[in-house]
Amino acid sequence: MPDPAPGELSLPELLSTLRLSMNPDTFVFLTFPIELPPPKTLPVEMYFREQEECTVITTLESAKNYNLECVFPCRKITCKVHSSLDAVGFMAAISKKLTDRGIGANPVSGYYHDHLFVPVLRADEAVTALEELAKDARTME
């Protein structure tokens, strides 16, 4: 049996210690047929095999350099708190805060951090909203 995932489980602790980092690059989503993987030299931020095709997130610059069709120009916001993969409610609280502002987000959970891909034109607003969420959580302590 695998060990439990390390990292913080407490929702109040996750929210009150949340810090954010926004990557300066613009990212995009694209797909490749399962039997035809992306070019080996394409810088891949995320690769996920779905039933239909493989989803890849890369930079807009890389997609242009490879003449690849892409969608959803976005920025990557990293939640700088080591949330456990077993944490309950963290992404829901983040999603609700962004939903209340009408901001769409595509979350990706890594081993150490959660990341949000948000529309380029709403990225600063998303950071502001999530900083408010963290501040509110700190005042609840």
Side-chain angles (χ1 to χ4, degrees), residues 71-111:
V71 298
F72 191 63
C74 55
R75 298 287 297 279
K76 180 177 80 167
I77 300 170
T78 297
C79 299
K80 304 287 278 186
V81 60
H82 184 182
S83 59
S84 171
L85 293 168
D86 293 318
V88 176
F90 184 53
M91 290 309 301
I94 287 171
S95 180
K96 173 146 181 22
K97 187 68 173 183
L98 295 177
T99 296
D100 291 347
R101 296 279 180 98
I103 302 171
N106 292 280
V108 173
S109 293
Y111 188 87

Side-chain angles (χ1 to χ4, degrees), residues 26-136:
T26 296
F27 291 89
V28 291
F29 283 60
L30 43 117
T31 61
F32 290 92
I34 292 170
E35 65 279 358
L36 181 66
K40 289 188 186 303
T41 56
L42 177 70
V44 173
E45 192 71 14
M46 189 215 63
Y47 180 91
F48 194 85
R49 184 177 174 151
E50 299 187 83
Q51 183 177 356
E52 301 84 359
E53 291 188 298
C54 294
T55 297
V56 170
I57 301 174
T58 189
T59 63
L60 177 59
E61 180 181 358
S62 295
K64 286 180 178 179
N65 288 342
Y66 284 84
N67 295 313
L68 298 170
E69 291 185 31
C70 55
V71 298
F72 191 63
C74 55
R75 298 287 297 279
K76 180 177 80 167
I77 300 170
T78 297
C79 299
K80 304 287 278 186
V81 60
H82 184 182
S83 59
S84 171
L85 293 168
D86 293 318
V88 176
F90 184 53
M91 290 309 301
I94 287 171
S95 180
K96 173 146 181 22
K97 187 68 173 183
L98 295 177
T99 296
D100 291 347
R101 296 279 180 98
I103 302 171
N106 292 280
V108 173
S109 293
Y111 188 87
Y112 294 102
H113 304 287
D114 295 294
H115 311 274
L116 305 163
F117 290 89
V118 299
V120 168
L121 297 178
R122 306 289 305 273
D124 290 331
E125 185 181 354
V127 168
T128 298
L130 296 177
E131 285 173 343
E132 289 174 6
L133 178 66
K135 182 180 176 186
D136 292 347

